[in-house]
Amino acid sequence: MRKNIVAGNWKMNKNLAEGLELAKAVEQSLQNTKVNCEVIIGTPFIHLATVAQTIDTSVLKVSAQNCADKVSGAYTGEVSAAMVASTGASHVILGHSERRAYYHETYDILKEKVLLALENNLTPIFCIGEVKEEREANKQNEVVKAQLEGSVFNLSAEDFSKIVLAYEPVWAIGTGLTATPQQAQEIHAYIRSLIAEKYGNEIAENTTILYGGSCKPSNAKELFANPDVDGGLIGGAALKAEDFMGIVTAF
Ligand code: PEP
């Protein structure tokens, strides 16, 4: 059976001391609470090693928010998948809409990043989702299909079964607008049907598909109650331990 997961995406927030404090607070709450999902925090690169070495990563896993599309070498400012893995991080968020929009990450670049993450035993949390104009034109299904075909449907069945997907409607990210539980269920079911078509029912049933976009303690329960919504990728509400734990305990 597929895993339920709640993953935080801190984006470019928190200095090292603040990040460590937040990571420890989440870890502590998890030690004291029975939870029904895997919990991950996606920190800035510079926090990864310190956080992963300080907390118990069997309780709270650590993720990067990006990795390079090259193995190593003269790529000033880049951080490779191997470097991320060497910190003790187990996951990497790839294809986030902010990276697609602001850093021009194309389907092909993301394809390379996913392959390198997998080669280094990192679990990609691969984000897909449509912008507002595409939703208004009822094009969300074709958008997510193209994103999957462009960057992850090249994977072998074995490799595909190692990734986590996150459906994040761009119009809901950081805007306070959330997909309704019906909208989320509808497109998650569609994404699962695409996986079934490509890789078969068993892999589709075992793929974790997270919802992301203004998820908070007050709406998480309703969103996670849908049969095809297996948890959340959380931005703003992951920056306070209490809010994040309010979402984690929605399961
Ligand atoms: C995100 O950026 O992945 C996200 C879901 O952000 P927020 O929860 O703030 O909408």
Side-chain angles (χ1 to χ4, degrees):
M1 260 319 273
R2 58 186 178 259
K3 269 186 208 161
N4 290 327
I5 298 175
V6 172
N9 173 14
W10 292 1
K11 311 192 187 190
M12 197 172 71
N13 292 296
K14 307 282 178 195
N15 66 26
L16 182 57
E18 292 163 348
L20 198 53
E21 192 183 342
L22 175 58
K24 281 189 198 162
V26 174
E27 185 207 21
Q28 189 119 61
S29 298
L30 289 170
Q31 302 276 19
N32 299 329
T33 319
K34 186 185 165 342
V35 296
N36 298 313
C37 60
E38 186 170 285
V39 186
I40 304 167
I41 45 175
T43 80
F45 282 135
I46 63 135
H47 302 41
L48 290 174
T50 311
V51 168
Q53 282 157 25
T54 305
I55 62 171
D56 179 350
T57 53
S58 69
V59 172
L60 175 60
K61 298 194 183 314
V62 181
S63 176
Q65 302 170 19
N66 181 29
C67 70
D69 61 337
K70 302 287 192 298
V71 175
S72 66
Y75 301 102
T76 303
E78 288 294 285
V79 175
S80 71
M83 291 171 186
V84 169
S86 75
T87 65
S90 50
H91 291 68
V92 56
I93 298 167
L94 291 174
H96 192 281
S97 59
E98 288 152 16
R99 300 235 31 115
R100 291 180 194 260
Y102 307 148
Y103 302 98
H104 315 295
E105 296 196 352
T106 62
Y107 294 171
D108 284 342
I109 290 172
L110 291 171
K111 192 193 272 184
E112 291 306 313
K113 292 188 178 199
V114 169
L115 287 170
L116 286 167
L118 289 166
E119 269 173 33
N120 287 282
N121 297 318
L122 291 171
T123 301
I125 302 174
F126 187 74
C127 306
I128 56 177
E130 79 288 353
V131 299
K132 184 162 158 269
E133 294 71 27
E134 291 162 340
R135 169 64 67 163
E136 284 168 354
N138 202 27
K139 289 196 166 145
Q140 61 275 11
N141 285 7
E142 56 188 274
V143 171
V144 297
K145 185 168 191 250
Q147 290 170 330
L148 291 169
E149 287 175 347
S151 306
V152 291
F153 275 2
N154 57 300
L155 295 173
S156 66
E158 192 189 340
D159 275 349
F160 186 85
S161 61
K162 293 176 188 159
I163 76 171
V164 170
L165 294 178
Y167 167 68
E168 299 206 300
V170 182
W171 47 271
I173 295 180
T175 59
L177 296 173
T178 314
T180 64
Q182 293 74 12
Q183 283 173 323
Q185 169 55 26
E186 204 172 281
I187 193 152
H188 279 230
Y190 173 68
I191 293 164
R192 204 177 300 287
S193 77
L194 292 174
I195 302 167
E197 235 171 71
K198 174 78 189 168
Y199 293 105
N201 271 332
E202 193 182 334
I203 288 181
E205 283 306 313
N206 286 330
T207 303
T208 295
I209 309 176
L210 308 180
Y211 167 80
S214 299
C215 188
K216 38 189 185 267
S218 58
N219 60 22
K221 212 173 206 148
E222 239 191 329
L223 286 160
F224 298 171
N226 289 294
D228 288 293
V229 178
D230 309 313
L233 181 56
I234 318 300
L239 295 173
K240 279 197 187 142
E242 199 183 321
D243 292 346
F244 189 57
M245 285 304 294
I247 296 172
V248 168
T249 52
F251 273 114

